[in-house]
Amino acid sequence: MTGFDIDEIPSALQRHLPVGAELVWPAQGMTSEVALAVGTSGTVVLKRCTNPIYLTWLRREHEVLLAIAHLGLPVPNVIDHTEQSGSSGPEAWLVMSCLPGRSLWSAMLEAPDGERGPLLQRLGLFLRALHSARIPEALGQPKDWISRKLEQARANLDWCDGDEGLLRWLEESRPAPVPEVLIHGDPSLDNVLIDEGGVLSLIDWSGGDCGDPRYDIALALRTEPEITLGAHEVASFHSAHGGAPMDARTQRWFELLYEFS
Ligand SMILES: Nc1ncnc2c1ncn2[C@@H]1O[C@H](COP(=O)(O)OP(=O)(O)O)[C@@H](O)[C@H]1O
Ligand SMILES: [Mg+2]
């Protein structure tokens, strides 16, 4: 990821920049370049994608954020979105509000081994609220989420980490369905923010969907190899979330499905 200068921000979006804006670069994710435009009148977040695949994801993130905007969830407010032909090809831009805090991943790394239970309990409660939210009509789909994800996985074979053999295994061993809910679709802990008061929020919404809550749970608990969670820490998560703990095979199935994103 290379970053961008203020004068590369599309003219249609310049009016959203705070007075005296300077760009500050947080730890970057995998799909985009994200800058905080910090000025005397506030801060906004600018997210740019240039890879054609991730450009589609940013378009989807914009749609999902608009669809869930009225649910009262702690998520960024969309300020604007635009697509244009940039200096090296098509690019998509999203401008959104800046949420406070740092990633839950960094808080988890700092917490001593065996003492991550309270953070996981917060996360469990947080995902419980998300999974209990009303599913906006705009996210409704005629086909079930697992079938759609397996179809997408096949379409992604050319560029994703998963391969044909693994995909066949996933297709042949798909878990029994559970009721679908509003999911985030990628709550790895670098997409969960925690503020100084311990309040959580969620960014990076391109996977938001009416879907299988076990995917969110499997991705939220995927902390290896950096962090090995103790059984009681995992139990804190599940009792706060309220769903029955998944068996290890089902959890692995959902983790492996992520190889196709
Ligand atoms: N709305 C936001 N408020 C505060 N920080 C944000 C916001 N959106 C993104 N970030 C920061 O930018 C980083 C990358 O953003 P993210 O949307 O996760 O990009 P990617 O899709 O590349 O993973 C995040 O880890 C976070 O530090
Ligand atoms: Mg991210």
Side-chain angles (χ1 to χ4, degrees):
M1 296 294 166
T2 53
F4 47 82
D5 295 324
I6 286 217
D7 55 14
E8 287 180 78
I9 298 168
S11 50
L13 302 182
Q14 293 276 343
R15 67 199 165 94
H16 302 301
L17 295 177
V19 177
E22 289 190 9
L23 300 184
V24 174
W25 298 90
Q28 299 290 295
M30 299 297 289
T31 72
S32 63
E33 298 144 284
V34 176
L36 312 186
V38 182
T40 52
S41 57
T43 299
V44 298
V45 175
L46 293 140
K47 182 168 180 176
R48 174 172 82 168
C49 292
T50 48
N51 176 311
I53 292 162
Y54 299 144
L55 196 144
T56 317
W57 290 19
L58 194 61
R59 194 179 299 156
R60 171 72 182 169
E61 180 170 357
H62 176 234
E63 284 167 8
V64 172
L65 284 173
L66 290 179
I68 64 173
H70 303 295
L71 298 179
L73 296 168
V75 304
N77 293 321
V78 169
I79 298 171
D80 211 342
H81 170 262
T82 194
E83 294 184 22
Q84 67 170 22
S85 169
S87 50
S88 52
E91 51 186 45
W93 292 77
L94 181 64
V95 189
M96 60 190 143
S97 62
C98 185
L99 298 175
R102 60 177 176 143
S103 76
L104 184 57
W105 179 243
S106 63
M108 289 280 281
L109 283 173
E110 270 174 29
D113 279 346
E115 290 178 28
R116 299 184 174 103
L119 290 173
L120 286 165
Q121 186 183 25
R122 271 177 202 272
L123 182 63
L125 280 174
F126 182 66
L127 288 182
R128 177 191 187 129
L130 173 67
H131 294 158
S132 316
R134 180 175 61 77
I135 302 171
E137 245 170 62
L139 298 185
Q141 291 283 345
K143 207 180 235 186
D144 71 279
W145 181 88
I146 288 185
S147 300
R148 287 189 284 123
K149 284 296 277 189
L150 289 171
E151 281 168 18
Q152 269 171 28
R154 191 151 287 286
N156 294 352
L157 273 176
D158 281 348
W159 59 265
C160 68
D161 291 337
D163 61 28
E164 173 73 39
L166 177 58
L167 180 53
R168 274 215 209 104
W169 179 81
L170 289 174
E171 287 166 342
E172 284 158 11
S173 57
R174 53 186 283 174
V178 299
E180 294 193 347
V181 299
L182 177 62
I183 64 165
H184 176 272
D186 186 10
S188 58
L189 301 186
D190 51 356
N191 287 330
V192 184
L193 302 185
I194 180 162
D195 75 8
E196 286 184 355
V199 176
L200 303 186
S201 57
L202 264 174
I203 56 168
D204 206 357
W205 274 89
S206 62
D209 209 336
C210 170
D212 194 312
R214 294 172 295 185
Y215 192 55
D216 274 0
I217 294 169
L219 297 188
L221 293 176
R222 207 176 51 143
T223 60
E224 301 272 1
E226 292 87 346
I227 298 173
T228 299
L229 297 174
H232 64 288
E233 293 171 311
V234 175
S236 305
F237 173 91
H238 286 298
S239 66
H241 183 271
M246 254 180 285
D247 63 76
R249 183 185 160 90
T250 305
Q251 186 158 343
R252 189 77 188 126
W253 191 94
F254 283 100
E255 285 172 6
L256 290 170
L257 182 60
Y258 188 74
E259 300 292 309
F260 297 87
S261 315

